[in-house]
Amino acid sequence: MSKTSFDAQTISNSLRTAKHQPRKRFGQNFLHDTSVIREIVESIRLERDDNLIEIGPGMGALTEPLLAEVDAMTVVELDRDLADSLRIRIGANSHPNFEIIKDNAMHVDYRDLYSEARGKLRVVGNLPYNISTPILFHLLSYADVIQDMHFMLQKEVVERITADVGSKTYGRLSVIMQYYCDTDYLLTVPRGAFNPPPKVTSAVFRLTPHIDKPIVAEDEEYFAIVVRETFNHRRKTLRAIFKKSTLLPTLSEDDFAACGIDPQARPETLSVTDFVNLSNQARHIDVYCK
């Protein structure tokens, strides 16, 4: 990608022009630090013909520099006042291929935004922290039409998503996200980069959906249940978890051995592959018992 072409002073002036009181119910914290904006845009490595989707553009701090890098762009904004402001300040500013969808990001059918001509979606967003996880899971259901996703969230959540197996931050979110995607921690964003400053430090990360998953669960819903149930009791051994859970079958020593897992192990020591093998084995036992 060529060096980002947006003018920092133009963005700064634009943000001052856009008057909007942040709304708590929408979880609004507006990015204003132009050096951070430049880092984010450059980390995405856009091409002119990319099918770019931005979720939660806010006052357009990222929107304008992103739009400078591509020929067409769609944004999804729930706050109608912000959407109307963007249409006036950006949409009417000689950008015929700039589209605004006034809707909740959770209600959008992202498959409608995909076409063979425009290619897979490249999704970007400074997600509302209070509903970030549901949005991520919603987007995973469209992984087949998404090239990659770049989001800003609380640093601790990003650390959990990108965590290595065995680390303190490795958990349910790590396993599920890494089952569907490659995950990359890109950069840390200080609280002062926002107005109003959030109570937490933020971070930017990349999710790249697997074209072909390294390993595939026989039943992905059941896999998700196994991951959730085990991490709900992460201090217990796997043997104890499967013995006590009302949602999972009791596994014998031979069952654990069949999938190459130590029954004395704890959830945070299992890789994504281990969890898939464990869920496949548990599902076979469950089906047989029923």
Side-chain angles (χ1 to χ4, degrees), residues 63-64 67 73 75 82-100:
T63 310
E64 293 197 74
L67 189 53
M73 181 176 180
V75 299
L82 286 174
D84 291 341
S85 175
L86 281 174
R87 187 173 299 283
I88 293 169
R89 294 187 297 108
I90 300 177
N93 186 24
S94 70
H95 291 296
N97 296 321
F98 178 67
E99 180 183 356
I100 299 175

Side-chain angles (χ1 to χ4, degrees), residues 20 59 74 99 107-108 128 141 152 190 194 223 225 264 273:
H20 182 83
M59 294 194 297
T74 300
E99 180 183 356
H107 300 161
V108 174
S141 65
M152 180 152 39
F194 298 89
F223 164 74
I225 291 171
Q264 290 298 111
T273 297

Side-chain angles (χ1 to χ4, degrees), residues 154-178 183 185 203 227 231 234 267-270 272 275:
Q154 305 102 305
K155 184 172 182 284
E156 64 177 34
V157 174
V158 177
E159 288 174 339
R160 283 160 50 200
I161 289 171
T162 59
D164 292 327
V165 59
S167 67
K168 291 181 179 180
T169 52
Y170 185 76
R172 173 185 174 235
L173 204 53
S174 318
V175 175
I176 297 298
M177 290 297 166
Q178 292 173 29
T183 65
Y185 187 110
V227 174
F231 278 109
R234 63 183 301 150
E268 67 271 15
T269 66
L270 270 61
V272 174
F275 270 109

Side-chain angles (χ1 to χ4, degrees), residues 248-269:
L248 302 176
T250 298
L251 299 185
S252 68
E253 297 287 328
D254 289 342
D255 293 328
F256 281 109
C259 50
I261 293 173
D262 180 359
Q264 290 298 111
R266 286 178 168 76
E268 67 271 15
T269 66

